[in-house]
Amino acid sequence: MDDFDDDENMSFEESLSHDEMGPVTVETLQNIEQQINEQSGVPVWAVVQNLFVPTAHRIMQDAGSVVGERAASFVRSTLEEVIRTTPDSGDDLPDVSLSVTGAMTLLGSYYYDGVLGEQDYAKAFEYYKAAAERGGIRATLNLGYCYQYAHGTMRDDAKACTCYSVAYLADPTTPEARYKMADMFFNGYGVPRNETVAVHAYLEILDQVTDDDNQEWFAENEESLYRRLALAYRDGRGVKRSPLKALEYYEKLEIIHYRDLAHGRRDTPYYSTAQHLDSVQNEIAKLRAELDSDPTAASM
């Protein structure tokens, strides 16, 4: 399929549904901006919303390319335009591609991650809070992260727990909010420590993430989930101590870290994958030695 830049005759309507428009260039942005300005008789908020989904996501993918700051500025102003000009009756309008709540949540996430070239936790917090007040579930969950890690606000574990609980009750089919609540119980953050409740939740989440809908989440979180279960069974935290079960989870972790190293993922912002692999292998050696010296431990 031809790139958008190569098809000068593509109409505005066609561009909205064009799935493979190729790399974003400054010319692409100029063309889009011109077409927005040429719309007559259509509310600006409707044009921006209809344009955002097929185009701005692709722009974000190329935000670090030759388009640079121009792309980031376009995406930011697009979202701000939706928030500023959409008629606000207190509820999001039906049948639009991007709601005010969605625009607030996305803009908050872009500030949180710094993908617009400016990481600003305070702005992220304000957008998440505004979207959460409108009932945005993703924003409510993200607001919990802000409270828990003191990003853009003072740390408040109790408020973080409230956010995670609201998000989970609103959509129990997704594992992320329940996983965060389980962590809070496991560590006693914002709620009384209850390792039994936490481990029970971890195990149920592990059973549920076999569903296709949750595979993406599981791929991003399997390491931390296995690590928590390995620790629980190793030390008997919230579950009957079982060196053999702990060994099973540590072996899964070993595979994950070997895979990460093979794909060049040697470091993250929080730890060295190579160092984690050493730690996991040391735990495996200890557990195997324990099982060899005490065969009854295999049945514990």
Side-chain angles (χ1 to χ4, degrees):
M1 187 175 293
D2 294 336
D3 288 348
F4 175 58
D5 296 320
D6 297 331
D7 191 349
E8 297 179 356
N9 296 320
M10 179 176 290
S11 69
F12 179 72
E13 289 74 15
E14 289 173 330
S15 72
L16 295 181
S17 59
H18 203 293
D19 292 328
E20 299 179 12
M21 293 187 284
V24 179
T25 66
V26 171
E27 288 74 21
T28 305
L29 296 178
Q30 290 174 336
N31 194 316
I32 291 170
E33 291 165 355
Q34 179 180 353
Q35 291 181 75
I36 289 177
N37 293 331
E38 290 175 353
Q39 300 307 299
S40 60
V42 180
V44 174
W45 63 265
V47 176
V48 172
Q49 287 180 319
N50 288 332
L51 178 66
F52 182 84
V53 171
T55 305
H57 279 180
R58 187 172 60 94
I59 291 174
M60 290 308 304
Q61 294 174 357
D62 289 336
S65 66
V66 294
V67 183
E69 294 182 3
R70 180 74 177 271
S73 176
F74 174 80
V75 173
R76 183 188 299 110
S77 62
T78 297
L79 291 168
E80 289 174 345
E81 186 75 4
V82 171
I83 295 169
R84 183 180 65 82
T85 64
T86 302
D88 189 357
S89 62
D91 298 316
D92 287 328
L93 298 177
D95 302 324
V96 291
S97 57
L98 182 68
S99 66
V100 174
T101 302
M104 290 175 172
T105 304
L106 282 169
L107 196 52
S109 295
Y110 293 155
Y111 277 118
Y112 191 93
D113 296 330
V115 295
L116 296 177
E118 176 188 0
Q119 187 174 55
D120 191 323
Y121 287 143
K123 286 184 179 179
F125 174 80
E126 290 303 323
Y127 279 116
Y128 286 152
K129 190 171 184 293
E133 289 172 351
R134 297 176 65 91
I137 303 306
R138 179 73 251 179
T140 301
L141 184 58
N142 291 350
L143 188 64
Y145 282 95
C146 290
Y147 280 123
Q148 183 179 356
Y149 300 109
H151 287 166
T153 186
M154 297 292 291
R155 174 166 180 163
D156 192 323
D157 289 336
K159 287 184 178 180
C161 284
T162 298
C163 290
Y164 297 147
S165 178
V166 168
Y168 171 68
L169 292 174
D171 188 3
T173 63
T174 57
E176 186 174 358
R178 188 178 187 190
Y179 183 58
K180 289 304 299 178
M181 275 304 302
D183 277 350
M184 303 302 270
F185 278 112
F186 194 72
N187 295 292
Y189 294 155
V191 290
R193 184 189 298 270
N194 192 326
E195 294 170 341
T196 301
V197 168
V199 174
H200 181 72
Y202 292 146
L203 291 170
E204 286 196 342
I205 290 169
L206 189 58
D207 287 338
Q208 294 170 359
V209 292
T210 56
D211 297 339
D212 291 341
D213 293 342
N214 294 320
Q215 284 303 301
E216 182 177 352
W217 180 89
F218 182 59
E220 295 177 356
N221 293 275
E222 59 177 336
E223 191 273 346
S224 59
L225 183 57
Y226 288 149
R227 185 172 293 280
R228 284 158 173 73
L229 288 169
L231 179 64
Y233 279 107
R234 185 195 70 185
D235 298 337
R237 295 181 58 182
V239 70
K240 182 179 179 181
R241 184 175 181 273
S242 174
L244 186 61
K245 290 290 293 183
L247 179 61
E248 291 178 11
Y249 287 115
Y250 276 119
E251 287 176 337
K252 292 178 185 292
L253 286 169
E254 185 179 40
I255 293 172
I256 291 171
H257 290 305
Y258 271 127
R259 183 189 65 200
D260 287 347
L261 287 170
H263 287 85
R265 294 192 289 269
R266 300 178 184 275
D267 297 289
T268 75
Y270 304 105
Y271 59 82
S272 163
T273 300
Q275 290 177 351
H276 258 203
L277 178 58
D278 288 342
S279 172
V280 167
Q281 290 175 330
N282 288 336
E283 288 296 336
I284 289 175
K286 291 178 184 178
L287 289 166
R288 284 178 175 162
E290 181 178 351
L291 291 169
D292 289 341
S293 62
D294 183 6
T296 62
S299 60
M300 293 178 63

